[in-house]
Amino acid sequence: MDDPELALAAAIAQFNRGDYYACHDSLEALWNEALMTDRNFYQGLLQVAVALHHRDRHNVRGAMILLGEGISRLRLYQPEYGGVDTARLVRSAAALLAALQRGEEMGEPLQVLPWDGDFSELGNNGMMEQGIEGLGHESHGVLGDFGGVNATGGR
């Protein structure tokens, strides 16, 4: 992978516009080459993206399994990691999981994945004190604008 920062920005843009399958591919490439401290971060994001892909195709069981696994991994990175608001992402994913468990097949839409373009924590062994939150689903396609921050990290 030439530039992990650009690859993560691309994956976040894919996620934010609801292209979860492409996001999975992008995150998998990052995960395969990541340092051990970052692997669970990428895998957790990947699992949430694939869960949303399953949810959109009405595979509720698959969505619930992957949401649970993704949440478990991402909790290690709260409240923020690599510029991603992981605490919000975990809360949103947990709310969606609870809705699916109640039989609300589509659940509530998730918020877009916040990201401020800061990669300073990636590869940092202190990651256990950090976290990620705030993943989202806007099937209408929000291209990474969250709180004035877009998918390229600009305001």
Side-chain angles (χ1 to χ4, degrees):
M1 172 133 332
D2 292 333
D3 189 342
E5 294 178 11
L6 288 177
L8 180 58
I12 289 170
Q14 292 162 339
F15 185 98
N16 288 341
R17 67 176 173 258
D19 192 356
Y20 303 119
Y21 192 82
C23 178
H24 159 268
D25 289 342
S26 297
L27 289 170
E28 187 172 50
L30 282 165
W31 175 74
N32 282 329
E33 296 185 25
L35 298 173
M36 288 306 294
T37 56
D38 296 332
R39 287 180 64 84
N40 278 333
F41 172 71
Y42 291 127
Q43 189 173 15
L45 291 175
L46 186 151
Q47 288 174 319
V48 171
V50 175
L52 293 171
H53 178 77
H54 284 301
R55 187 235 8 222
D56 288 352
R57 281 150 186 73
H58 304 282
N59 176 0
V60 176
R61 185 174 186 276
M64 289 190 301
I65 290 169
L66 287 168
L67 279 170
E69 291 176 2
I71 290 166
S72 293
R73 283 186 170 79
L74 293 175
R75 281 190 173 135
L76 301 174
Y77 296 88
Q78 292 183 83
E80 187 272 335
Y81 190 78
V84 175
D85 184 357
T86 53
R88 184 173 184 171
L89 176 59
V90 167
R91 283 192 309 270
S92 297
L96 175 59
L97 177 58
L100 294 173
Q101 290 170 334
R102 289 190 305 270
E104 300 169 19
E105 187 170 322
M106 292 306 286
E108 292 295 316
L110 297 180
Q111 299 297 311
V112 294
L113 186 62
W115 177 64
D116 66 6
D118 178 11
F119 294 93
S120 61
E121 289 92 3
L122 295 177
N124 180 349
N125 287 331
M127 64 92 176
M128 297 298 272
E129 300 170 24
Q130 316 249 330
I132 53 178
E133 163 200 309
L135 71 90
H137 171 68
E138 288 288 341
S139 58
H140 305 74
V142 176
L143 187 59
D145 186 5
F146 186 85
V149 179
N150 63 35
T152 60
R155 293 208 175 261

